[in-house]
Amino acid sequence: MIKLIALYKKPADVEAFEAHYREVHLPLVEKVPGLVRAEVTRIKSDAMGGEAPYYLMAEMYFENEETFKQAMKSPENKAAAKDVMSFAGDIITMVVGQVDEG
């Protein structure tokens, strides 16, 4: 399984970010073909209870590398990518991971 991980730093306007993320961005993400599931985690703190470097983590799971590659080329993903850059381009880091299930 492959997952796309989006890490967001704390936005300047948390309420506006949350509203856009929930009402606009997630519905776009959910339309991406091949998406098995999406998880959103709001980061509470670092491991020692202090302030974490990230505010939110989104994980989008795909069955395999080929499915992921096709999804990334899709018009639905391009729409989601354009949207995220419009409201969070300055606070997002995206990485891809291989999930080892065991």
Side-chain angles (χ1 to χ4, degrees):
M1 190 161 287
I2 300 291
K3 68 177 170 177
L4 177 63
I5 305 161
L7 297 163
Y8 297 85
K9 293 178 183 171
K10 188 171 183 178
D13 185 339
V14 172
E15 285 185 27
F17 173 89
E18 287 287 346
H20 186 95
Y21 194 83
R22 179 180 55 255
E23 297 166 17
V24 178
H25 191 65
L26 275 180
L28 290 171
V29 168
E30 290 169 350
K31 292 178 183 176
V32 173
L35 181 68
V36 175
R37 77 175 189 270
E39 294 179 0
V40 176
T41 304
R42 281 164 187 78
I43 310 292
K44 293 175 58 170
S45 68
D46 69 12
M48 302 303 289
E51 188 172 337
Y54 296 104
Y55 170 75
L56 185 139
M57 176 176 66
E59 298 170 283
M60 291 137 288
Y61 293 81
F62 298 87
E63 193 62 42
N64 54 46
E65 186 82 24
E66 186 57 35
T67 303
F68 171 73
K69 287 179 180 178
Q70 291 302 314
M72 294 301 101
K73 295 176 185 177
S74 72
E76 295 88 348
N77 186 66
K78 289 177 182 176
K82 183 177 179 180
D83 178 65
V84 81
M85 288 299 127
S86 76
F87 79 97
D90 60 337
I91 62 169
I92 188 172
T93 299
M94 296 178 73
V95 295
V96 177
Q98 171 72 45
V99 179
D100 293 331
E101 300 182 60

